[in-house]
Amino acid sequence: SQTIHQWPATLVQPVGSPLSLECTVEGTSNPNLYWYRQAAGRGLQLLFYSVGIGQISSEVPQNLSASRPQDRQFILSSKKLLLSDSGFYLCAWSVRRGLSTDTQYFGPGTRLTVL
Amino acid sequence: QKEVEQDPGPLSVPEGAIVSLNCTYSNSAFQYFMWYRQYSRKGPELLMYTYSSGNKEDGRFTAQVDKSSKYISLFIRDSQPSDSATYLCAMRPGNFNKFYFGSGTKLNVKP
């Protein structure tokens, strides 16, 4: 069966510090991978998605970046965090079906607080 | 206008009640529809996944899609306190890798 991991689970960082969140998927190959942010009491905002190694689509211009160095690894980074970067970060994966995809499955999330 | 609209609630019901959760959407290209349950401080968990119009049942959960009205619903029968969570609807067009989410409805089932 497939499993998705995210770490760390919780993170408190000062403004201006760098960020690296990691997501890995087990039990599947060639998945689509996604990063979302969820602000308190709000819906999911798609940040990045990737259909393959080194292929990143950015949805929202901001001080965040994403990389996919391996097939089942997705990393979210920032060089300098802003207060507005606080939130719940979710990684998700889906099975690729030709040009499209199957449904999405989410990881446990990382709660980021920027002070 | 958001592509997917969902009443944020909160919706409070007594245990055993039938719960109806709904989303409306504006993009007629949406073909795949999902419902997720999210407990506090956890990642969303997939509940139902349907394609095009019609009904799908899984245990106490029934998902309905009415593409002519651009309206989807999730019914929960015999609701339990453990159903207390935020419910997110999601959808996507065919041949497309992006998913569009509602903002979520918070449900509270009182014992």
Side-chain angles (χ1 to χ4, degrees):
Chain A
S1 65
Q2 298 84 9
T3 310
I4 180 169
H5 302 279
Q6 285 186 247
W7 65 90
T10 305
L11 193 59
V12 180
Q13 292 283 96
V15 169
S17 64
L19 173 74
S20 181
L21 303 181
E22 190 164 342
C23 170
T24 59
V25 181
E26 295 178 356
T28 188
S29 297
N30 237 6
N32 286 346
L33 296 172
Y34 304 80
W35 278 113
Y36 291 88
R37 178 170 58 204
Q38 187 176 36
R42 301 184 63 180
L44 298 174
Q45 178 188 27
L46 178 63
L47 302 175
F48 302 93
Y49 72 94
S50 171
V51 299
I53 296 174
Q55 300 179 63
I56 309 294
S57 295
S58 175
E59 291 297 306
V60 182
Q62 57 209 337
N63 67 321
L64 299 173
S65 62
S67 62
R68 184 170 177 174
Q70 300 180 41
D71 180 46
R72 291 170 290 175
Q73 184 185 30
F74 206 20
I75 297 172
L76 183 69
S77 303
S78 174
K79 292 181 179 178
K80 286 187 177 182
L81 283 169
L82 307 173
L83 286 174
S84 57
D85 291 324
S86 293
F88 193 42
Y89 287 81
L90 289 157
C91 182
W93 72 275
S94 64
V95 174
R96 198 176 310 156
R97 304 283 187 203
L99 293 176
S100 185
T101 185
D102 204 343
T103 190
Q104 280 189 329
Y105 302 90
F106 286 86
T110 294
R111 187 158 302 278
L112 172 66
T113 303
V114 182
L115 301 174
Chain B
Q1 181 189 5
K2 292 182 182 177
E3 296 209 52
V4 182
E5 298 278 2
Q6 186 175 9
D7 188 332
L11 179 63
S12 189
V13 301
E15 183 176 354
I18 296 174
V19 176
S20 173
L21 303 167
N22 311 294
C23 287
T24 59
Y25 62 95
S26 57
N27 189 343
S28 58
F30 289 145
Q31 294 184 17
Y32 297 85
F33 304 91
M34 288 135 275
W35 284 96
Y36 290 85
R37 177 175 62 196
Q38 185 177 23
Y39 292 114
S40 181
R41 308 179 81 85
K42 301 291 185 183
E45 170 194 10
L46 179 67
L47 283 177
M48 302 288 280
Y49 178 41
T50 57
Y51 169 69
S52 196
S53 286
N55 293 0
K56 183 176 182 179
E57 187 174 322
D58 184 1
R60 296 186 296 112
F61 298 92
T62 299
Q64 281 188 354
V65 175
D66 182 350
K67 291 189 69 179
S68 63
S69 301
K70 297 189 180 70
Y71 188 87
I72 69 171
S73 300
L74 178 70
F75 297 96
I76 307 174
R77 291 183 298 279
D78 187 25
S79 57
Q80 304 295 310
S82 58
D83 295 326
S84 297
T86 297
Y87 290 80
L88 299 160
C89 65
M91 51 199 77
R92 70 169 178 86
N95 287 335
F96 208 62
N97 291 303
K98 282 177 57 177
F99 295 75
Y100 295 81
F101 284 82
S103 56
T105 299
K106 188 169 185 178
L107 172 66
N108 181 31
V109 181
K110 298 175 291 185

